[in-house]
Amino acid sequence: MTNAQILAACRSNWEYRGIDDASMREMLDELSAHLEDAEAAGRTAQDVVGGDVRTFAAAWARARAPFPRRLLRMTCQVAFVLGCLLLLTCLTRWTTAVAVTPGQIAFWAVLGAVTVAWELRRGSLGILRNWAIGLCVALPVAVLTGRLAGDAPVFTAPLWAAPLVLLPGLPYAVADLRARRRSAA
């Protein structure tokens, strides 16, 4: 494998494992420097990463961001997205409460699951293409769920719940935004 292929394999593995952008750039820079040093010393890239690049990347990701921390980050990000959806729904409908139906729950659950599964399985297609694929699956599921379970609301979500659900993910969203701005500058 070439150095570029090793870096690409490590990047995709770290994206899959939920390593934040700033840490990933730092890790890629460090790995790139090690690979260049090894090449200058007459060693191969396999001397640096070993026989299996995926195992190397996974071990480094586990050391950098342990599973409990990644799980907490993912949970907070999901809560942030749900809070944004609830807030946008209340604002667009100009209401203080939203009735949540089984069809809506099925739609958003399937859209999220398909988007994440496609991203993990096939790699990044871009958010619009991922959502297009998710919509092709989620819409029929939502319609079928609506017909089978009916349109009766499962619960009513008040407007004041949106900030409460949104708050846990806010620090992660701000940190990611700052990291992107720093890397662009």
Side-chain angles (χ1 to χ4, degrees), residues 81 108 111-112 115 126-137:
V81 169
W108 290 108
L111 179 66
T115 302
I127 193 73
L128 293 178
R129 287 185 184 151
N130 273 347
W131 280 11
I133 292 167
L135 283 173
C136 290
V137 177

Side-chain angles (χ1 to χ4, degrees), residues 50-107:
D52 188 10
V53 177
R54 290 186 187 107
T55 304
F56 168 80
W60 198 357
R62 280 191 300 275
R64 185 70 176 226
F67 180 71
R69 196 168 80 199
R70 288 181 294 157
L71 182 63
L72 175 65
R73 177 183 170 83
M74 178 64 76
T75 304
C76 289
Q77 287 176 334
V78 168
F80 182 78
V81 169
L82 289 176
C84 288
L85 287 173
L86 178 59
L87 185 62
L88 287 174
T89 303
C90 286
L91 291 176
T92 57
R93 293 183 182 173
W94 201 251
T95 183
T96 59
V98 175
V100 180
T101 63
Q104 291 171 333
I105 293 171
F107 174 79

